[in-house]
Amino acid sequence: MKAIALALLVAVATAAKLPQEAAPVEEAPVEEDPVEAAPVAALTPALLPVAILRSNQVNPDEFGAHSSDFEAENGIVFQFSGSEGALGGANMIGSWSYPLEDGSIASVSFVADENGFQPQSSLLPVAPAFPHPIPQFVLDQIEFARLEDERRAQEEAAAGSANEE
């Protein structure tokens, strides 16, 4: 887990420092109604370098405690801290956020420990509240299966009794 997070940060930091050239932009073919056809340049955002505002990395100490903190000029923020777990794994807590097209901020916080990765965010889908109403055809199928199990058990018991005689 530590290696993945570190690799992610290194990749983002390296990519931000690479020279980037805008790819040549092709015009979309003009259709029958030129008012409706938009050039590709109007749809493609310019690829400009993004400055890194903050990038702090604390490597694991003798107890396995480590952390990282990253913020980019475009509003992307990633931070986590962790330590060695009781069973030798890595326990981590952290969060990341980034701006959405509508100007709001998308945020995800997480805990990763012996119980797995547990993200929390308003962006994540939520299962419907339970108990929700169970359709009658499902209840009928469950009852049918129960009756079949009972019948099979009775047949096996009868066959077992016949073999003993």
Side-chain angles (χ1 to χ4, degrees):
M1 185 69 135
K2 291 186 259 185
I4 293 171
L6 180 60
L8 172 71
L9 289 172
V10 169
V12 169
T14 303
K17 293 183 179 184
L18 291 175
Q20 298 181 5
E21 295 180 17
V25 177
E26 297 179 20
E27 296 271 332
V30 177
E31 298 178 13
E32 293 175 9
D33 186 1
V35 174
E36 290 183 17
V40 174
L43 303 175
T44 306
L47 299 175
L48 300 174
V50 177
I52 296 174
L53 303 177
R54 183 176 68 241
S55 180
N56 300 317
Q57 179 79 27
V58 177
N59 292 323
D61 61 15
E62 64 272 7
F63 305 108
H66 59 282
S67 66
S68 182
D69 188 19
F70 173 86
E71 182 177 2
E73 178 182 41
N74 60 1
I76 296 174
V77 177
F78 180 76
Q79 52 196 8
F80 70 86
S81 62
S83 62
E84 186 173 336
L87 302 175
N91 292 335
M92 298 179 73
I93 60 170
S95 65
W96 69 85
S97 62
Y98 55 92
L100 297 173
E101 290 179 5
D102 65 2
S104 63
I105 301 294
S107 297
V108 177
S109 61
F110 68 90
V111 173
D113 57 15
E114 292 85 6
N115 298 318
F117 181 70
Q118 305 149 48
Q120 292 185 342
S121 174
S122 61
L123 300 170
L124 298 175
V126 178
F130 197 83
H132 53 28
I134 299 176
Q136 186 59 44
F137 74 91
V138 173
L139 296 172
D140 294 343
Q141 186 65 35
I142 292 170
E143 179 64 14
F144 177 78
R146 186 187 66 76
L147 294 172
E148 284 289 305
D149 288 344
E150 283 181 7
R151 183 188 58 78
R152 188 173 301 121
Q154 289 173 353
E155 288 175 356
E156 289 174 0
S161 299
N163 289 340
E164 291 177 6
E165 294 176 1

